Amino acid sequence: GKDIFDEDGNPSNDSTQSYFDKEKIHPDSNRRNIIHKSLAAGGALLATRTSRASAKNFKSRTDEYEVRKSEAEWSESLSSQQYFILRQGGTEPPYSSILEAEERPGVYACAGCGTPLFDAKEKFHSGTGWPSFASPVMGTSNPSVPNVEMEDVSNIQYQLAGAEVRCRTCGGHLGDVFADGFLFVGTPAFVTGKRYCIDGGALVFVPSDQNATG
């Protein structure tokens, strides 16, 4: 990620565009608003994902979180894909992450700061192409507050189009949460009523056996 900034330390449009062109994605694409997938059962519409550089109803991603770095520092510590997702609000192509098919027990942590975000017990296969979870990990200091932060939107918007979710520690964009968990009978989402649709590039998977051995 060292080559995506110009001489003044600002993101370079030319260098970042080469990444977007290579992956056939664009930072301004609005997937949630232009793509809807029809479910076979009942013909219900399943809200999909959006890519956005920032959310109108969120605090600053750079100034108001516990873990803070300059954009140049984030670029140094993250891969191009991780930076695109976590810091620019991008969305990876569906079925492009190996974590979508991951089924081992363990914990999914933030690729930016290492905060535990989702337990593998809450993971399920939604058929959307992105790792999906029914609920996030709760904080250790305050068990009533999840480690995943949800965009402040109206209930109507949440029900119809979902809301952005971020890492509560570093503000990194993770994906979106939707209120359609009831559609996934037999999964943890059916119980919570929620589907956290997360970019695999925003996560690092830590298997349980690795936790046990340190």
Side-chain angles (χ1 to χ4, degrees):
K2 296 182 181 181
D3 60 343
I4 68 172
F5 285 84
D6 59 25
E7 59 183 9
D8 296 320
N10 299 313
S12 167
N13 290 332
D14 292 339
S15 56
T16 54
Q17 188 60 51
S18 64
Y19 171 73
F20 302 140
D21 291 342
K22 178 181 178 182
E23 300 296 330
K24 295 183 174 59
I25 50 182
H26 191 278
D28 295 326
S29 64
N30 194 330
R31 178 164 45 182
R32 185 166 61 189
N33 291 339
I34 64 174
I35 305 176
H36 285 82
K37 180 179 180 180
S38 179
L39 293 180
L45 288 179
L46 180 64
T48 55
R49 300 286 308 286
T50 181
S51 174
R52 52 197 151 178
S54 61
K56 295 180 180 179
N57 303 305
F58 246 136
K59 57 190 178 184
S60 168
R61 186 180 282 123
T62 57
D63 301 328
E64 302 180 46
Y65 289 90
E66 180 181 343
V67 173
R68 306 177 189 178
K69 297 181 182 180
S70 68
E71 290 307 303
E73 290 172 328
W74 280 120
S75 177
E76 288 283 345
S77 62
L78 300 172
S79 69
S80 296
Q81 184 192 34
Q82 289 171 336
Y83 182 82
F84 169 62
I85 295 170
L86 288 165
R87 308 313 304 174
Q88 295 184 313
T91 301
E92 68 194 11
Y95 296 105
S96 63
S97 171
I98 60 173
L99 296 184
E100 195 279 331
E102 180 61 65
E103 295 184 344
R104 290 174 294 171
V107 173
Y108 294 82
C110 175
C113 65
T115 296
L117 300 176
F118 298 97
D119 192 294
K121 292 183 293 186
E122 295 298 310
K123 188 174 186 290
F124 67 101
H125 295 292
S126 64
T128 60
W130 293 279
S132 299
F133 303 87
S135 65
V137 169
M138 305 305 286
T140 53
S141 59
N142 188 346
S144 65
V145 178
N147 288 344
V148 173
E149 185 178 32
M150 176 179 162
E151 179 185 7
D152 183 16
V153 298
S154 69
N155 185 58
I156 293 178
Q157 180 176 333
Y158 169 60
Q159 295 292 329
L160 294 177
E164 181 190 359
V165 287
R166 294 181 180 180
C167 171
R168 190 175 293 276
T169 304
C170 69
H173 171 78
L174 304 174
D176 300 274
V177 59
F178 300 99
D180 58 5
F182 66 92
L183 295 173
F184 301 92
V185 179
T187 75
F190 184 75
V191 178
T192 65
K194 297 180 179 181
R195 171 174 58 94
Y196 287 82
C197 195
I198 307 299
D199 289 286
L203 303 172
V204 173
F205 178 62
V206 183
S208 293
D209 53 2
Q210 182 173 323
N211 278 327
T213 58

